[in-house]
Amino acid sequence: MSVQTLPRRRDTRPGGRNWPLLIATLIVSGGSAKTSSIIMLAVTLAQRGYKVRVFDCDHQRSASHIACQMDELPANQKTIYDLIHGASLEECSLPFRYRVSQPEPDPDNPEVMLPAEYEEIDNLQIVPGSRHLKNFDTESMQKGNELLTGWFRELCDEYDGDDDVWLIDLPASLSKLGVSMLIPFQEDDEILPPVLVTSKEETDLKATFEELAEMRQQQNARSRRRKSLPTIKHILMCGTPTPGRPDSEGDLTIDSMTRTYRNSGIQLHKVRWSSFIRQQHRRQAPVPAFGPSNAAPIEDYNKVATALGFVDLNL
């Protein structure tokens, strides 16, 4: 696809709706590249001039850790769990930060530890995750909480801010929490599966398609007013081999996926294996904060952002 024919998403309120574009990473497979992809896309879009908010919907809170908003949360800070239970979006949102220095002894007083230092990323906020999210499915089944699964649709309907994109880091299953986040999705929104290039994850991707189709059928049978249309239009093939890191299993999986989706209308995107991606969690910083500009993740996720239609608004 040429640059001239790429979609151009300058309108981030498709159909005149009041809430932003929605992008969620989802594959029914643990240990995939969901959080890494959300972080890289969030930073890439923010750097391109879009106003972005990340929702950390995984009780493991990996996205919040990378954004320095897990263990470092201010006292009494509200999280996505509070958002689900009625707190406002602004109460539950924090700037996306990255760590620029570790805690270290004060050179003038070695018994005193100087705190870590952080920098904020412009245009980017995060709604921190919570370990209590693992209780969502049980709570939604309890008497009086039948409407809990509609919380995100209500948030979308009532939104009156100026965000351009909401990026959603979902857990590795279509639990009731995951379904609640996908209910407002329409045709212009994106389900973005990051698939590590192994046969297992290729199989898990097929299961993801099946679960999404079942979810759409069940939700749309319950509501005639507004259809739920979470669909997959792009697939990330993550950890693809490089000359310096050959991988025959990866090559076989890429060939198989290419044959499977060649005529489906779905675009496949290669995201090369990189040691920088593996360092994001330890450094508590996204790759653009410490990696060279030609680092594979920076180049590859820039290509993904362009393929998704997010032109650079700064140009």
Side-chain angles (χ1 to χ4, degrees):
M1 181 177 291
S2 70
V3 173
Q4 287 75 22
T5 59
L6 285 169
R8 299 174 69 83
R9 287 187 168 173
R10 291 187 181 275
D11 178 13
T12 57
R13 296 288 193 280
R17 74 191 196 192
N18 56 292
W19 69 93
L21 283 166
L22 306 174
I23 300 177
T25 50
L26 173 67
I27 182 172
V28 290
S29 179
S32 188
K34 295 184 295 295
T35 298
S36 296
S37 296
I38 279 289
I39 295 300
M40 288 300 301
L41 275 176
V43 175
T44 300
L45 297 185
Q47 290 179 332
R48 290 189 174 197
Y50 295 91
K51 191 168 183 180
V52 181
R53 196 180 309 252
V54 173
F55 291 78
D56 186 353
C57 300
D58 193 332
H59 72 273
Q60 294 182 2
R61 299 170 286 168
S62 293
S64 302
H65 178 78
I66 296 172
C68 301
Q69 298 294 7
M70 189 177 85
D71 297 331
E72 304 86 347
L73 278 179
N76 302 316
Q77 170 63 40
K78 297 185 183 300
T79 68
I80 194 168
Y81 186 77
D82 302 291
L83 181 64
I84 291 169
H85 290 82
S88 72
L89 182 58
E90 293 311 312
E91 285 181 301
C92 302
S93 298
L94 288 166
F96 192 111
R97 307 186 302 174
Y98 62 93
R99 192 172 62 193
V100 295
S101 72
Q102 296 273 14
E104 58 183 19
D106 185 337
D108 297 325
N109 187 355
E111 295 182 0
V112 175
M113 291 294 291
L114 297 176
E117 295 182 351
Y118 304 92
E119 294 284 347
E120 295 181 3
I121 297 177
D122 292 340
N123 300 322
L124 184 54
Q125 291 186 295
I126 186 168
V127 179
S130 167
R131 59 187 178 85
H132 299 300
L133 287 174
K134 60 187 176 183
N135 300 325
F136 181 92
D137 284 13
T138 301
E139 290 181 15
S140 65
M141 297 290 289
Q142 293 173 347
K143 186 176 181 179
N145 282 340
E146 293 87 351
L147 298 179
L148 195 61
T149 52
W151 74 274
F152 191 57
R153 171 171 280 179
E154 292 178 9
L155 179 68
C156 290
D157 286 340
E158 297 171 0
Y159 182 70
D160 63 355
D162 60 354
D163 287 354
D164 295 307
V165 191
W166 286 353
L167 294 173
I168 303 166
D169 188 15
L170 290 175
S173 67
L174 259 181
S175 61
K176 290 185 179 297
L177 174 61
V179 170
S180 76
M181 299 295 294
L182 296 180
I183 288 174
F185 273 61
Q186 299 176 346
E187 288 182 326
D188 290 287
D189 302 309
E190 297 269 354
I191 302 294
L192 196 61
V195 183
L196 294 178
V197 286
T198 68
S199 178
K200 175 188 179 300
E201 296 235 348
E202 183 184 7
T203 302
D204 291 340
L205 176 62
K206 295 176 182 177
T208 303
F209 273 100
E210 293 169 356
E211 292 201 17
L212 274 176
E214 183 178 349
M215 176 258 169
R216 283 195 301 269
Q217 183 179 22
Q218 291 177 350
Q219 290 301 318
N220 293 336
R222 296 171 184 167
S223 174
R224 297 181 180 179
R225 182 175 64 91
R226 182 193 298 164
K227 297 299 183 183
S228 181
L229 297 170
T231 54
I232 295 172
K233 294 167 260 185
H234 299 264
I235 296 171
L236 306 182
M237 299 189 297
C238 298
T240 58
T242 64
R245 190 178 175 87
D247 176 16
S248 59
E249 168 65 16
D251 290 333
L252 288 171
T253 303
I254 291 168
D255 290 343
S256 175
M257 290 181 65
T258 300
R259 290 193 302 271
T260 299
Y261 299 103
R262 178 179 291 127
N263 299 316
S264 67
I266 295 173
Q267 295 183 48
L268 302 179
H269 305 277
K270 291 182 179 180
V271 178
R272 289 165 289 176
W273 186 94
S274 170
S275 62
F276 290 112
I277 283 287
R278 294 163 62 90
Q279 296 174 40
Q280 286 189 132
H281 194 86
R282 182 183 300 277
R283 288 177 179 259
Q284 288 188 269
V287 175
F290 64 87
S293 60
N294 64 345
I298 296 175
E299 290 187 345
D300 292 344
Y301 282 101
N302 266 298
K303 291 178 182 177
V304 171
T306 299
L308 292 172
F310 293 102
V311 298
D312 193 335
L313 301 180
N314 299 312
L315 298 179

